[in-house]
Amino acid sequence: MKFDLDALRVRGGRKLDLRKWAAATKRLYRSEAHYQELLAADVETLSKLQRLLYASNGYSILLVFQGMDAAGKDGAIGHVLTGVNPQGCEVHSFKQPSANELEHDFLWRTTWPLPARGRIGVFNRSYYEEVLVVRVHPEMLKAEGLPQQQSGDRRVWKGRYRSIIAFEKHLHRSGTIILKFFLHLSKEEQRKRFLERIDDPDKNWKLSHSDIAERKFWKQYERAYEECLSGTSSKSSPWHVIPADDKNNARLIISRVVIDALQRLNLTYPAMTAARRRELQAIRKQLER
């Protein structure tokens, strides 16, 4: 089944109401076996494209994952990138900033891990936390020691949107293709997944009182995400709203978005030149002696 990837993209500057975006959609797969078959095919295609990306050495890919707790970010990253050569891919997870990180601007700590040319970088949460969780919990903004800034001032967030857009445009001009995914999970599905974490001993460690406490701020997070997605989605670095109530479906959709973006680059292996051909023939003679 084909999926309209364009329907997932957020149009920047337009008012966004996440209640009108589906958290569940028609399945791309018929059964668990069919899902495994489709995912394996996507993983193989992505692996080939990653080798092309590495060999051509002209672009890098940055995948940004955001979403509510239990939205499936870890699982999506693990499944979609299963077949990618670990040497060509790096995953970074950003949690509460350290004291040293708080002494720098909000983009500083997510700048050094950016992927080099030929590589795929993955941000599990990102600089977007600075206009999401920090907005929902204004005491965090106060801890950042900004000059003459008030936590309730909307100009703070709009200013950060502008900084993010400028930052991402700079990366795009430099050859970094940014794909941003918001895993859109319903509050009821999150409740079910939290209960599963209690029932499954192997997942007990994933749940804490803080996770439950954050559910009280669901509406505030929705509002923050709506303004963030609308304010920072651009033609070159769009946000994709991924229906996440079905984990398998979400993983297939994400893999299609990544594959589509890589295929649009029309990557090729380095062209063979006469000088390179002579070099290879000389190497052959050495090996055959």
Side-chain angles (χ1 to χ4, degrees), residues 35-36 120 139 162 232 253 282 285:
Y35 160 70
Q36 295 293 344
I120 296 176
E139 66 275 11
R162 290 195 297 271
T232 60
I253 294 171
K285 289 179 180 178

Short mmCIF file of all heavy atoms in Angstrom, two decimals, residues 35-36 120 139 162 232 253 282 285:
data_model
loop_
_atom_site.label_atom_id
_atom_site.label_comp_id
_atom_site.label_asym_id
_atom_site.label_seq_id
_atom_site.Cartn_x
_atom_site.Cartn_y
_atom_site.Cartn_z
N TYR A 35 4.26 -7.22 7.93
CA TYR A 35 5.02 -6.09 8.47
C TYR A 35 6.51 -6.40 8.46
O TYR A 35 7.31 -5.56 8.03
CB TYR A 35 4.56 -5.78 9.90
CG TYR A 35 5.56 -4.98 10.70
CD1 TYR A 35 5.82 -3.65 10.40
CD2 TYR A 35 6.29 -5.58 11.73
CE1 TYR A 35 6.76 -2.92 11.12
CE2 TYR A 35 7.23 -4.87 12.45
CZ TYR A 35 7.47 -3.53 12.15
OH TYR A 35 8.40 -2.83 12.85
N GLN A 36 6.88 -7.58 8.94
CA GLN A 36 8.29 -7.96 8.97
C GLN A 36 8.89 -7.99 7.56
O GLN A 36 10.03 -7.58 7.35
CB GLN A 36 8.45 -9.33 9.64
CG GLN A 36 8.07 -9.36 11.11
CD GLN A 36 9.00 -8.54 11.98
OE1 GLN A 36 10.11 -8.17 11.58
NE2 GLN A 36 8.56 -8.23 13.19
N ILE A 120 24.69 9.39 8.65
CA ILE A 120 23.33 9.62 9.14
C ILE A 120 23.41 9.88 10.64
O ILE A 120 23.96 9.07 11.39
CB ILE A 120 22.41 8.42 8.86
CG1 ILE A 120 22.24 8.20 7.36
CG2 ILE A 120 21.04 8.64 9.52
CD1 ILE A 120 21.43 6.97 7.00
N GLU A 139 10.22 27.21 34.95
CA GLU A 139 11.32 27.28 35.92
C GLU A 139 12.63 26.84 35.31
O GLU A 139 13.72 27.24 35.74
CB GLU A 139 10.99 26.43 37.16
CG GLU A 139 10.89 24.94 36.93
CD GLU A 139 9.52 24.47 36.45
OE1 GLU A 139 8.69 25.33 36.09
OE2 GLU A 139 9.30 23.25 36.45
N ARG A 162 13.04 31.51 15.46
CA ARG A 162 13.85 32.16 14.42
C ARG A 162 15.28 31.63 14.43
O ARG A 162 15.88 31.41 13.37
CB ARG A 162 13.84 33.68 14.60
CG ARG A 162 12.52 34.35 14.29
CD ARG A 162 12.68 35.86 14.12
NE ARG A 162 13.13 36.49 15.34
CZ ARG A 162 12.32 36.94 16.31
NH1 ARG A 162 11.02 36.83 16.16
NH2 ARG A 162 12.82 37.51 17.38
N THR A 232 8.34 26.19 13.03
CA THR A 232 9.68 25.77 12.62
C THR A 232 9.69 24.78 11.46
O THR A 232 10.75 24.25 11.11
CB THR A 232 10.44 25.13 13.80
OG1 THR A 232 9.71 23.99 14.27
CG2 THR A 232 10.61 26.12 14.94
N ILE A 253 6.13 3.99 8.06
CA ILE A 253 5.97 5.33 7.49
C ILE A 253 7.28 6.11 7.58
O ILE A 253 7.71 6.75 6.62
CB ILE A 253 4.83 6.09 8.21
CG1 ILE A 253 3.49 5.42 7.93
CG2 ILE A 253 4.79 7.55 7.75
CD1 ILE A 253 2.35 5.98 8.78
N ALA A 282 47.38 -0.70 -11.51
CA ALA A 282 48.67 -0.82 -10.85
C ALA A 282 48.55 -1.64 -9.55
O ALA A 282 49.42 -2.46 -9.24
CB ALA A 282 49.25 0.57 -10.56
N LYS A 285 48.28 -5.36 -10.41
CA LYS A 285 49.55 -5.98 -10.74
C LYS A 285 50.34 -6.32 -9.47
O LYS A 285 50.97 -7.37 -9.39
CB LYS A 285 50.36 -5.05 -11.63
CG LYS A 285 49.79 -4.93 -13.04
CD LYS A 285 50.63 -3.96 -13.88
CE LYS A 285 50.05 -3.85 -15.30
NZ LYS A 285 50.81 -2.88 -16.13
#
